């Protein structure tokens, strides 16, 4: 049973709607205050509704702070982003803006709250979208009856758009998974990832030296900078400036094009080892040093702000704190509470398995029947080593055209023709400026207007060879994006289904405050961390594995591809691998 939650002036309304999004009674709703909302939602939660609201990140955190959890929701903002991609329009961006700051748009369906501040009962007499026939009920006199509140109308419009889609079942599933992910994201921010501030300080001190004063830098960085400068022997070197560093390296007789680690590691010179160490420690200090610790860790918890579907492919991003880029150097500071454990699960070779399922490549599915797909490729004689298997698959999915991955790719194409043909077709679509979709229907964004202009100019009569060459480079680059979009985006869908399945199993097992029971604490694309009481570890391990198998069935239906996960129960995150 859906229940719409929306602001009406100084009050909040709970409006019952049916499964099509139509109001059960277009005049009936429960009005409450912001302060009373958690109590009312907790009472209605016993009915197992699906809460419909503009943005989970706006509505759910205050409920969690009041000790109220909800099982299901429909996030209008996230679903709008999905539909916008399919419909080729820009998504709305004003979901949380004050009504006075919004503008009316007669050609858009989604003006949720703009009329409600001046009409607190929601008895509107015209379609908020400006459409002649909104599907609203009519009175006996033929006059339009009062319309449903705008959020309910938006929900109804979204359901109708999904139902009209060619793969409505898949899109319905994706909308539900996106919304479940938003709930999990808010819950993980609320409970936080257990973090030892003293351990973090100790590991920084061990590798960088004592904490420097404000405006200074660690002693160890100064020592390494001096050592690099002395060994290069070309005068002062600004190690933090890539341009200056390249010039200094060249003056020392080292031909380099970049300062990337892979390129520097190929150089034989006594300055390279301290330089690489300097770069590693400098990244640690700036990204996760004492300033980061002061800002992001409080009361023994790191509380990142996750952004579900923050990337166009549907992968998550984070709003500060670098949650999705926690380096291994700081993971020893992630430590379970006394009497608790961190249960860490990692999906094995997720993206190659996703490609096997997407393409229906049975030979690749057989190679991945075990936990290690790359080892399975070696056993079947596809490649010589596990490293070659990994490099080849990365080249296939990301468009590698040079180096070892390019040399391995022809062997993969012979052994797994369906898989390689699938990503090649996605790449060709991108090179033509077309869009591709994930398995459940997320659509890739179109190339920019500038990209299209350059392609058009290069195809015109009289275009120079330089223009044509630049256009071909642009086309290949966009083809690499669409090649990976279908795989990475579908992997994000599987991960959402996994995340939702684990959350549901943990939910079913316990009642009470979230932080007092086994709960999701961290999510990193294909990895989940559950913080659990020590006596619940076995149950959590089962939930993680069962949900992974279920995610494969939910997303792909009957498929020979397996999605194994490795699970480790540890005290410290760093001990999981």
């Amino acid at each position: 049973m859906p229940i719409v939650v929306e602001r009406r002036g100084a009050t909040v309304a709970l409006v019952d709607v049916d499964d099509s999004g139509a109001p059960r009674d277009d005049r009936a709703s429960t009005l409450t205050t912001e302060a009373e909302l958690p109590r009312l939602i907790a009472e209605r939660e016993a009915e197992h509704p699906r809460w419909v609201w503009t943005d989970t990140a706006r509505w759910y955190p205050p409920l969690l702070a009041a000790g109220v959890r909800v099982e299901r929701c429909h996030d209008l903002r996230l679903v709008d982003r999905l539909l916008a991609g399919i419909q080729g329009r820009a998504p709305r961006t004003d979901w949380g803006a004050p009504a006075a700051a919004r503008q009316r748009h007669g050609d858009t369906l989604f003006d949720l709250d703009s009329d409600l501040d001046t009409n607190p009962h929601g008895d509107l007499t015209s379609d908020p979208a400006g459409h002649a026939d909104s599907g609203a009920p009519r009175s006996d006199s033929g006059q339009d009856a009062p319309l449903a509140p705008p959020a309910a109308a938006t929900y109804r419009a979204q359901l109708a758009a999904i139902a009209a889609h060619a793969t409505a079942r898949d899109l319905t599933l994706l909308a539900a998974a996106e919304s479940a992910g938003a709930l999990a994201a808010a819950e993980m921010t609320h409970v936080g990832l257990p973090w030892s501030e003293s351990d973090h300080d100790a590991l920084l001190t061990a590798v960088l030296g004592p904490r420097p004063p404000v405006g200074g830098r660690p002693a160890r960085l100064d020592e390494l900078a001096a050592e690099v400068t002395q060994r290069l022997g070309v005068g002062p070197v600004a190690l933090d400036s890539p341009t200056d560093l390249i010039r200094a390296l060249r003056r020392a007789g080292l031909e380099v094009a970049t300062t990337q680690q892979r390129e520097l590691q190929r150089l034989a010179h006594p300055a390279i080892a301290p330089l690489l160490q300097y770069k590693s420690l400098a990244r640690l200090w700036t990204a996760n040093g004492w300033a980061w610790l002061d800002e992001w860790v409080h009361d023994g918890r790191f509380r990142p702000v996750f952004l579900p579907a923050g990337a166009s492919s549907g992968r998550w991003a984070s709003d500060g704190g670098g949650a999705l880029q926690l380096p291994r150097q700081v993971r020893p500071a992630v430590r379970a509470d006394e009497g608790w454990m961190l249960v860490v699960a990692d999906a094995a070779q997720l993206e190659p398995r996703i490609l096997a399922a997407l393409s229906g490549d049975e030979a690749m599915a057989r190679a991945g029947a075990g936990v290690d797909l790359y080892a399975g490729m070696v056993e079947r004689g596809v490649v010589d080593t596990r490293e070659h298997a990994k490099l080849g698959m990365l080249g296939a999915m990301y468009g590698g055209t040079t180096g070892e991955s390019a040399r391995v790719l022809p062997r993969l194409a012979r052994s797994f023709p369906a898989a390689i043909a699938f990503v090649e077709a996605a790449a060709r679509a991108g090179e033509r400026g077309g869009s591709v979709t994930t398995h459940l229907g997320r659509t890739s964004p179109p190339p920019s207007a500038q990209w299209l202009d350059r392609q058009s100019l290069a195809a015109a009569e009289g275009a120079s060879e330089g223009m044509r060459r630049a256009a071909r480079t642009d086309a290949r680059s966009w083809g690499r994006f669409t090649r990976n979009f279908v795989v990475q985006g579908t992997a994000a869908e599987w991960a959402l289904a996994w995340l939702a399945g684990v959350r549901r199993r943990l939910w079913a097992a316990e009642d009470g405050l979230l932080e007092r029971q086994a709960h999701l604490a961290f999510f990193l694309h294909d990895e989940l961390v559950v913080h659990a009481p020590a006596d619940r570890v076995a149950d959590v391990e089962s939930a993680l594995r069962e949900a992974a198998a279920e995610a494969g069935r939910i997303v792909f239906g009957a498929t020979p591809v397996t999605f194994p996960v490795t699970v480790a129960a540890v005290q410290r995150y760093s001990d999981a691998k």
Side-chain angles (χ1 to χ4, degrees):
M1 177 182 70
I3 303 177
V4 176
V5 182
E6 62 186 353
R7 185 179 300 283
R8 296 189 182 182
T11 63
V12 178
L14 305 184
V15 185
D16 290 76
V17 297
D18 63 23
D19 288 338
S20 70
R24 295 180 185 275
D25 182 335
D26 54 85
R27 288 187 182 274
S29 62
T30 301
L31 295 180
T32 186
T33 64
E34 194 93 18
E36 283 293 303
L37 182 63
R39 179 184 62 81
L40 286 180
I41 285 188
E43 291 175 358
R44 298 296 302 273
E45 182 63 23
E47 303 167 25
H48 302 287
R50 185 181 299 279
W51 300 98
V52 179
W53 48 39
T54 52
D55 187 355
T56 302
R58 178 255 179 269
W59 287 100
Y60 197 27
L63 300 179
L64 290 167
V68 176
R69 299 170 65 201
V70 303
E71 188 174 1
R72 301 186 301 165
C73 81
H74 178 99
D75 188 305
L76 293 169
R77 182 185 66 84
L78 286 175
V79 176
D80 175 64
R81 288 192 63 185
L82 283 175
L83 294 175
I86 292 169
Q87 296 164 355
R89 59 174 174 83
R92 277 196 58 190
T93 59
D94 63 343
W95 298 96
R102 296 194 186 107
Q103 296 179 351
R104 297 289 290 165
H105 299 286
D107 60 350
T108 177
L109 287 172
F110 305 120
D111 289 307
L112 291 193
D113 301 322
S114 52
D115 287 333
L116 294 179
D117 286 352
T118 56
N119 190 356
H121 295 292
D123 295 335
L124 308 180
T125 56
S126 63
D127 184 349
H131 293 279
D133 184 5
S134 65
R138 293 180 177 272
S139 66
D140 292 340
S141 65
Q143 298 290 325
D144 281 344
L147 291 179
T154 300
Y155 180 52
R156 187 168 67 250
Q158 289 188 353
L159 293 182
I162 291 171
H165 194 265
T167 57
R169 175 264 179 194
D170 290 343
L171 200 54
T172 298
L173 174 60
L174 182 53
E178 287 277 81
S179 299
L183 291 174
E187 290 169 356
M188 287 187 286
T189 297
H190 174 74
V191 296
L193 184 65
W195 200 285
S196 171
E197 296 170 70
S198 60
D199 286 357
H200 192 138
D201 176 75
L203 69 86
L204 291 175
T205 302
V207 296
L208 292 170
R211 180 171 184 165
V214 176
R217 71 174 182 175
R220 182 56 181 153
L221 290 183
D222 286 335
E223 293 170 2
L224 288 168
E227 184 178 356
V228 172
T229 299
Q230 185 271 325
R231 292 190 178 190
L232 283 177
V234 293
V237 182
L239 298 187
D240 297 320
S241 168
T243 301
D244 290 348
L245 179 56
I246 287 173
R247 288 172 180 164
L249 291 170
R250 288 176 175 172
R251 288 199 304 272
L254 301 172
E255 286 302 317
V256 294
T258 72
T259 60
Q260 293 178 358
Q261 178 177 335
R262 187 171 299 177
E263 182 166 0
L264 293 177
Q265 286 175 331
R266 291 196 290 263
L267 301 175
H269 190 280
I272 297 303
L275 174 58
L276 289 172
Q277 188 178 3
Y278 175 92
K279 288 170 66 68
S280 175
L281 293 180
R283 280 194 299 271
L284 173 63
W285 176 52
T286 56
N288 298 99
W290 288 280
W292 180 92
L293 186 61
D294 291 343
E295 180 178 1
W296 286 99
V297 179
H298 303 283
D299 302 320
R301 290 294 186 273
F302 168 43
R303 289 185 169 86
V305 179
F306 293 103
L307 298 178
S312 62
S313 64
R315 294 187 92 184
W316 285 21
S318 65
D319 188 9
L324 304 183
Q325 296 176 331
L326 285 183
R328 297 194 180 279
Q329 293 156 296
V330 301
R331 292 188 182 188
V334 182
R335 190 175 72 186
D337 292 343
E338 187 70 27
W340 290 57
M341 298 288 283
L342 298 174
V343 188
V344 182
D346 184 13
Q349 301 96 37
L350 178 58
E351 289 192 357
R353 293 175 188 276
I354 290 293
L355 174 55
L358 278 170
S359 62
D361 196 309
E362 295 183 0
M364 193 169 171
R366 288 193 295 271
V371 173
D372 192 335
L373 181 146
Y374 298 140
M377 292 182 180
V378 175
E379 291 173 3
R380 284 161 177 75
V382 177
V383 290
D384 300 325
T385 67
R386 188 182 184 281
E387 183 64 17
H388 284 170
K390 183 176 181 178
L391 289 173
M393 287 309 307
L394 289 174
M397 295 183 296
Y398 288 85
T401 58
T402 61
E404 194 63 42
S405 63
R407 288 190 286 273
V408 174
L409 196 54
R411 300 181 65 176
L412 296 185
R414 288 192 295 272
S415 299
F416 311 129
I420 303 305
F422 186 90
V423 287
E424 288 293 334
R428 299 293 87 78
E431 290 172 5
R432 295 190 298 269
S435 293
V436 294
T437 61
T438 62
H439 189 68
L440 295 182
R442 191 186 304 273
T443 302
S444 66
S448 68
Q450 292 82 358
W451 187 96
L452 295 171
D453 287 344
R454 288 193 295 269
Q455 297 298 314
S456 179
L457 290 172
E461 186 176 351
S464 68
E465 180 55 33
M467 293 172 62
R468 293 193 180 98
R469 186 164 53 249
R472 287 195 296 270
T473 299
D474 285 349
R476 286 193 295 269
S477 177
W478 197 253
R480 285 192 295 272
F481 167 73
T482 53
R483 170 194 295 270
N484 186 240
F485 182 94
V486 291
V487 178
Q488 188 180 95
T490 305
E493 293 166 355
W494 180 93
L496 275 178
W498 183 33
L499 180 72
V502 173
R503 178 178 181 269
R504 187 179 70 250
R505 284 166 171 80
L506 298 180
W507 181 290
E510 299 280 2
D511 292 315
L513 291 176
L514 181 61
E515 50 266 50
R516 294 181 183 172
Q517 59 186 265
H519 54 261
L520 289 161
F522 195 60
F523 174 52
L524 186 64
H525 302 315
D526 56 2
E527 186 174 296
L528 283 175
V529 179
V530 175
H531 193 212
D535 61 0
R536 288 291 318 283
V537 165
D539 294 337
V540 171
E541 290 179 344
S542 296
L544 288 161
R545 291 191 171 94
E546 290 169 4
E550 178 186 67
R553 295 191 298 270
I554 288 175
V555 175
F556 295 108
T559 175
V561 179
T562 57
F563 295 93
V565 294
T566 59
V567 182
V570 295
Q571 277 290 312
R572 297 178 187 270
Y573 191 11
S574 56
D575 294 335
K577 299 182 185 179

